[in-house]
Amino acid sequence: MPLVAGVDSSTQSCKVVIRDAETGALVRQGRAPHPDGTEVDPRAWWDALLAAVEAAGGLADVAAVSVAGQQHGMVCLDGSGEVVRPALLWNDTRSADAARDLITEAGGGETGRRFWADAVGLVPVASFTATKLRWLARHEPAQAARVAAVCLPHDWLTWRLAGAPGLAALRTDRGDASGTGYWSPSTGQYRPDLLERAFGRVVEVPTVLGPAERAGVLDPTVLAGAAGRPDAAPGSPPPGGDILLGPGTGDNAAAALGVGAGPGDVVVSIGTSGTVFAVADSPAADAGGAVAGFADATGRFLPLVCTLNAARVLDSAAALLGVDLDELSELALSAPPGADGLVMVPYLEGERTPDRPTATGSVHGLTLRTATPAHLARAAVEGMLCALADGLDALVAQGATVGRVILVGGGARSAAVRRIAPQVFGRPVVVPPPGEYVADGAARQAAWVALGGATPPTWALKDTEEYAAEPVPAIRQRYAEARDHTLDRVAATGE
Ligand SMILES: Nc1ncnc2c1ncn2[C@@H]1O[C@H](COP(=O)(O)OP(=O)(O)O)[C@@H](O)[C@H]1O
Ligand SMILES: O=C(CO)[C@@H](O)[C@H](O)COP(=O)(O)O
């Protein structure tokens, strides 16, 4: 029974699962936290990866490893492969002006947006790598001048696992390349002209691999000690031969692989980000900008809507109310659907969909009756879900068909989220058992690399539960009244 490892290097933590390549059975797992903040030194991800691998019992007995990671983060390397500055993450909004400039320079308005959607499947917002590169070129020219290569979090970790063998060895996959803003999902080619437009010059970018192509082999010395191979001497091969490195992918594409999403499935992931996505046979190009036309990890496409405010809205509401997450859930479920008109617009980190990078959150509809912890808890859950329901509508407007809605991510552990989601979405949701579906998707990709074949091995998704409820359209109607009434951040403090 060959084993494989899957890594999820996400915003808040790194998770590692070791699974049986053929059956998908979970053998062991580990995790380690990431630092807070929207700007992070990639070396912190590497340290967390080592710790999570160690907690998972090492990699000495696996045949292949794949790394999935948070998308879009800008990892800049100098000519010797050193990190130039901390990475700007997908949820860092300082590049919002850069995004606007890139649209303006492409003709502005609908013309500019259509240009980008047709060229690379997405309309620039602060999240995408191209806008971060523009920000770097404008705001830190000395640092920008040192950049020899740019890659994404999962590319960099895969490269480190290979022993960081020179910039030409950087590898990525279609899924994550499609979130840069300088790679076209429809042609499968980089757009060096757009990289130059964003950054002012062309720098080295990772080679884009096919879904089951090898990115290289694990350098056993890089994990010595941390990964249960204290015996590894420099250059010594692992006991069973080389450990293969898969191409890896973005965390959402990995989640699609992890739950085995197929035609008609829409996945809603409630992690640090909220995402709504489907696997599609053709690329999306939404000039409205709500749907990003990503590629997936199987050779197909992954139209996706992403919000900046998801599970951490619940964390914040719980902190505000002085309760834990389970108590927040109980409180929310003790208030009536619609919270008697109390609405939370959850733009705590600004927002990406809709594009409101400087917005703040707000609470509307306070009365003597609604000023209770239960109402506030319910409004937090409903507001977060309403933003995702808007995303689901946008996906449908781009042609997605909705059979099953599959709910995953840390936020899906909340009973209130699982029970209120069908009221807000107006359809039942399918919830797999709590798990690490991004890491699982990466492991499934690693199994595909190890076992070969035209498709990834079939791993059954067992013990899913369906949550159904009478739709309550009034929740979304009230949210729609409230969602444009927000204040901007206070300019001087950024808060
Ligand atoms: N029981 C729960 N109820 C609500 N939220 C939860 C629960 N358990 C975990 N979470 C939240 O899930 C989030 C982490 O989810 P995860 O999908 O691992 O995020 P990411 O992949 O972005 O790092 C945290 O914000 C955490 O508070
Ligand atoms: O920016 C996006 C998708 O476009 C985010 O979904 C990131 O990929 C971060 O993911 P999580 O840490 O929330 O899983």
Side-chain angles (χ1 to χ4, degrees), residues 10-11 69-72 90 251-252 271-273 275 294 304 306 352:
S10 282
T11 314
Q70 53 175 310
Q71 296 185 246
H72 317 305
W90 62 280
D251 53 4
N252 293 293
T272 315
S273 64
T275 54
F294 296 151
L304 178 146
C306 178
R352 158 170 163 187

Side-chain angles (χ1 to χ4, degrees), residues 137-175:
R138 292 284 185 273
H139 292 266
E140 296 182 353
Q143 304 277 45
R146 292 179 50 216
V147 177
V150 61
C151 62
L152 298 169
H154 107 256
D155 312 341
W156 184 77
L157 288 169
T158 306
W159 181 73
R160 290 287 311 255
L161 286 171
L167 298 182
L170 282 164
R171 297 288 181 268
T172 192
D173 84 303
R174 295 170 65 252

Side-chain angles (χ1 to χ4, degrees), residues 209-215 245-247 297-299 445-450 452-456:
L209 299 175
E213 244 182 288
R214 294 176 188 184
L245 293 173
T298 67
Q445 184 196 70
W448 193 4
V449 170
T455 55

